[in-house]
Amino acid sequence: MLTQSLATLDYLDHIAPDPALLPEDPALRAKVRAAAQVIALDIYPLNNFKGVSRLKSEYGLTANQGIEWMRH
């Protein structure tokens, strides 16, 4: 079972290459993967308020401490 969206994207692109999910051009492919990683690794964790709220309520962390904890 794959649980990470970028791993799933890579897997699907290899087992079912037509139509391709990622561009063939290496530079464009890298840009698409970089954009996906920004969403998966940089934006989503900061907007995961449920996780931050739980850290605040169960462990007494401030919102900033919760966000910092999620970054690591």
Side-chain angles (χ1 to χ4, degrees), residues 1-2 4 7 17 20 25 30 36 38 42 49-50 52-53 57 62-64:
M1 173 187 287
L2 298 172
Q4 298 296 319
D25 177 82
V38 165
D42 297 335
F49 293 114
K50 184 176 180 181
V52 172
S53 293
S57 67
T62 66
N64 286 339

Side-chain angles (χ1 to χ4, degrees), residues 1 7-8 14 17-18 26-27 29-30 33-34 36 42 46 48 57 60 63 65 68 72:
M1 173 187 287
T8 303
H14 279 86
D18 189 29
R29 188 177 185 96
R33 291 179 66 86
D42 297 335
L46 296 177
N48 188 349
S57 67
Q65 289 171 321
E68 188 61 30
H72 296 98

Side-chain angles (χ1 to χ4, degrees), residues 16 25 40 44 54 56 60 64-67:
D25 177 82
Y44 175 73
R54 185 169 180 185
K56 286 170 53 179
N64 286 339
Q65 289 171 321
I67 289 169

